[in-house]
Amino acid sequence: MQPPAGSQVSRVPAQRTPPEQSAPLAPAPAPVPPRRRLRTVLTVVAGVLALVCAGGGIVGFVLYDRATAPDRSAPDVVVANYIQAFLIDRDDTKAQEYACKSGADLDAVRALRAELEQREANFDVVIKLSWGPLTRAKEGDGESVTTTLAISSSSDGQPRSSRREVWRFHVVNSDGWRVCGGSKIG
C-alpha cells in the first residue's frame, strides 16, 4: 500500500541497520543467587570450634607448665625438695632444679651422699633418710633452713644402725628460692 499523496513519509524502502551495528541489547538481570544458609551456619560453627580448640590448647599448656614447674616458692619447700631429689631419690637432674646455678657450696651434701652410697655397697645394707621440721631464719642475702636428718640402715629387713645429724642449708631467692649451700652443724 502506498502512502497518501503529500504525506511526509518517504517512498524509499526502509533500510535496516545490520545486526552487528545495532545497539547492544540491555544485559539480562543477574540471577539472584540462592540463599546459602547452611554454608554460613557451617562456617560460623567451624570458626567457633577453631577458637574453642585454640583456647583449650592455651589453657592446657599453661596448666601443664604450672603442674610440672618445680616448686621454689619458699625456702623450706626448696630445701625439702632438694633433700628428696638429691639424697633420697638420688636424681641429680631434678636436684639441679632446686640448686643455685653458679657459686653453690654443696660439697658437704655431696660428701654425705657419697658416704651413704659407699656404706650401701660395702655393707650390703639399704639406707633410708628422712628429715625433721624445717626451721627458717633470715641470713644475709637470703635465708637459712635448719633440719635434722635421720639416717638409718637395714639389712634383710632388720635395722642395723641409725643416727641423727643437724644440717643447715643456705637458700637465696634468685628466680625462685634455690639451695646455695649446705653443711653439717656440730
Side-chain angles (χ1 to χ4, degrees):
M1 163 165 186
Q2 295 287 331
S7 81
Q8 301 278 330
V9 177
S10 165
R11 294 185 191 261
V12 180
Q15 296 182 357
R16 297 183 187 246
T17 51
E20 63 270 355
Q21 293 177 356
S22 65
L25 297 173
V32 177
R35 296 183 120 193
R36 297 209 163 109
R37 281 194 160 165
L38 181 62
R39 182 181 293 174
T40 304
V41 168
L42 288 176
T43 302
V44 169
V45 168
V48 169
L49 277 173
L51 288 174
V52 167
C53 288
I58 291 170
V59 167
F61 173 77
V62 169
L63 291 176
Y64 174 79
D65 185 52
R66 286 183 183 170
T68 58
D71 185 4
R72 293 190 296 257
S73 60
D76 50 350
V77 172
V78 171
V79 169
N81 288 334
Y82 180 77
I83 292 171
Q84 179 70 42
F86 191 73
L87 294 175
I88 296 173
D89 297 339
R90 299 179 187 173
D91 184 348
D92 292 336
T93 305
K94 187 76 171 168
Q96 286 177 357
E97 295 177 358
Y98 302 105
C100 284
K101 294 180 180 175
S102 63
D105 181 18
L106 297 168
D107 292 337
V109 183
R110 286 188 203 98
L112 174 63
R113 184 167 120 179
E115 175 197 341
L116 299 177
E117 290 171 342
Q118 181 182 10
R119 285 179 182 265
E120 284 180 330
N122 290 346
F123 301 113
D124 193 30
V125 294
V126 175
I127 296 181
K128 302 272 186 202
L129 186 134
S130 62
W131 65 91
L134 301 164
T135 307
R136 294 171 49 178
K138 294 281 185 200
E139 180 181 276
D141 61 343
E143 290 192 22
S144 68
V145 177
T146 305
T147 188
T148 300
L149 299 180
I151 304 165
S152 60
S153 65
S154 63
S155 178
D156 297 325
Q158 298 296 319
R160 296 290 176 208
S161 67
S162 67
R163 70 180 197 241
R164 295 184 178 278
E165 297 179 357
V166 178
W167 281 74
R168 178 175 294 134
F169 295 89
H170 178 68
V171 291
V172 174
N173 193 357
S174 170
D175 188 28
W177 289 95
R178 296 178 184 271
V179 177
C180 293
S183 59
K184 182 178 173 182
I185 299 173

